[in-house]
Amino acid sequence: MDRDGPQSRPPEPFGRVLDENSRMNKTDLIEHLAAKHELSKAEAGRVLETLLDAIVTTVKKGGAVSIPGFGSFKQHARAARNGVNPSTGDKIKIAAAKLPKFTAGAGFKAAVDPKAAARKAAAKPAAKPAKPAAKAKKK
């Protein structure tokens, strides 16, 4: 039995292709990498682990990882704040925290919603004209 169901279907040319209601997990991603680049699943898994480890280590140390067209990963500091326990109504202090933050790049956003990217491009004002060169002083 296949994990996608009892029906048998031919393998996808580059791993499993997902529709809008599906989810891709780590195993699916490894299978996709292996098929796309003619690697074994073990090799693809090591490549993915190395990539993820590099991102986590860099962000953990306070650095940022930027992948043009995809997005950037960085550390975000959340300040301490006061909160309320919803079950008792007591006021509590919530400690400060360091959190990972991902910001999608323009290329990723455009791939997910091309219409929004087109609207944004159309709404941009025209480029400002170049400033005239400064006049040279005469002595």
Side-chain angles (χ1 to χ4, degrees), residues 82-92 94:
N82 292 321
V84 177
N85 181 338
S87 62
T88 63
D90 294 340
K91 291 186 179 186
I92 57 173
I94 302 171

Side-chain angles (χ1 to χ4, degrees), residues 98-112:
K98 294 179 186 177
L99 303 169
K101 182 177 181 181
F102 173 74
T103 304
F108 191 7
K109 288 178 184 177
V112 171

Side-chain angles (χ1 to χ4, degrees), residues 55 59 64-76 99-109 112:
I55 292 170
V59 173
V65 176
S66 180
I67 304 170
F70 181 72
S72 61
F73 300 87
K74 57 188 166 185
Q75 191 179 97
H76 175 74
L99 303 169
K101 182 177 181 181
F102 173 74
T103 304
F108 191 7
K109 288 178 184 177
V112 171

Side-chain angles (χ1 to χ4, degrees), residues 3 18-19 24 29 32 36 46 56 59 66-67 71 75-76 78 92 97 100 105 109 112 114 116 128-129 131:
R3 74 168 184 207
L18 302 173
D19 61 18
M24 180 180 269
L29 187 56
H32 183 76
K36 182 90 173 179
R46 286 192 297 272
V56 169
V59 173
S66 180
I67 304 170
Q75 191 179 97
H76 175 74
R78 186 168 60 194
I92 57 173
K109 288 178 184 177
V112 171
K128 294 180 182 179
K131 293 182 181 180

